[in-house]
PDB file of all heavy atoms in Angstrom:
ATOM      1  N   LEU A1247      12.190 -55.266 100.505  1.00 98.00           N
ATOM      2  CA  LEU A1247      13.651 -55.189 100.495  1.00 98.00           C
ATOM      3  C   LEU A1247      14.220 -55.322 101.899  1.00 98.00           C
ATOM      4  O   LEU A1247      15.320 -55.849 102.093  1.00 98.00           O
ATOM      5  CB  LEU A1247      14.108 -53.873  99.869  1.00 98.00           C
ATOM      6  CG  LEU A1247      15.617 -53.714  99.646  1.00 98.00           C
ATOM      7  CD1 LEU A1247      16.120 -54.739  98.632  1.00 98.00           C
ATOM      8  CD2 LEU A1247      15.944 -52.299  99.175  1.00 98.00           C
ATOM      9  N   ASP A1256      31.191 -52.000 104.942  1.00 95.00           N
ATOM     10  CA  ASP A1256      32.492 -51.670 104.370  1.00 95.00           C
ATOM     11  C   ASP A1256      32.683 -52.261 102.976  1.00 95.00           C
ATOM     12  O   ASP A1256      33.708 -52.048 102.340  1.00 95.00           O
ATOM     13  CB  ASP A1256      33.611 -52.160 105.287  1.00 95.00           C
ATOM     14  CG  ASP A1256      33.607 -53.670 105.484  1.00 95.00           C
ATOM     15  OD1 ASP A1256      32.541 -54.292 105.285  1.00 95.00           O
ATOM     16  OD2 ASP A1256      34.661 -54.234 105.826  1.00 95.00           O
ATOM     17  N   PRO A1264      14.195 -42.673  94.091  1.00 98.00           N
ATOM     18  CA  PRO A1264      12.766 -42.682  93.747  1.00 98.00           C
ATOM     19  C   PRO A1264      12.381 -41.380  93.051  1.00 98.00           C
ATOM     20  O   PRO A1264      13.174 -40.439  92.966  1.00 98.00           O
ATOM     21  CB  PRO A1264      12.068 -42.780  95.119  1.00 98.00           C
ATOM     22  CG  PRO A1264      13.165 -42.984  96.125  1.00 98.00           C
ATOM     23  CD  PRO A1264      14.401 -42.422  95.514  1.00 98.00           C
ATOM     24  N   ALA A1296      10.906 -18.198  91.954  1.00 98.00           N
ATOM     25  CA  ALA A1296       9.733 -18.409  91.103  1.00 98.00           C
ATOM     26  C   ALA A1296      10.089 -19.343  89.945  1.00 98.00           C
ATOM     27  O   ALA A1296      10.255 -18.920  88.803  1.00 98.00           O
ATOM     28  CB  ALA A1296       9.230 -17.068  90.580  1.00 98.00           C
ATOM     29  N   SER A1308      15.863 -31.979 102.861  1.00 96.00           N
ATOM     30  CA  SER A1308      14.875 -32.062 103.938  1.00 96.00           C
ATOM     31  C   SER A1308      14.195 -33.430 104.005  1.00 96.00           C
ATOM     32  O   SER A1308      13.578 -33.769 105.012  1.00 96.00           O
ATOM     33  CB  SER A1308      13.818 -30.954 103.790  1.00 96.00           C
ATOM     34  OG  SER A1308      12.953 -31.208 102.687  1.00 96.00           O
ATOM     35  N   ILE A1425      42.249 -36.692  94.527  1.00 97.00           N
ATOM     36  CA  ILE A1425      40.784 -36.568  94.505  1.00 97.00           C
ATOM     37  C   ILE A1425      40.210 -37.333  93.312  1.00 97.00           C
ATOM     38  O   ILE A1425      39.273 -38.131  93.448  1.00 97.00           O
ATOM     39  CB  ILE A1425      40.352 -35.093  94.437  1.00 97.00           C
ATOM     40  CG1 ILE A1425      40.867 -34.324  95.664  1.00 97.00           C
ATOM     41  CG2 ILE A1425      38.838 -34.985  94.332  1.00 97.00           C
ATOM     42  CD1 ILE A1425      40.297 -34.791  96.967  1.00 97.00           C
TER      43      ILE A1425
END
Side-chain angles (χ1 to χ4, degrees):
L1247 187 64
D1256 61 337
S1308 71
I1425 300 296

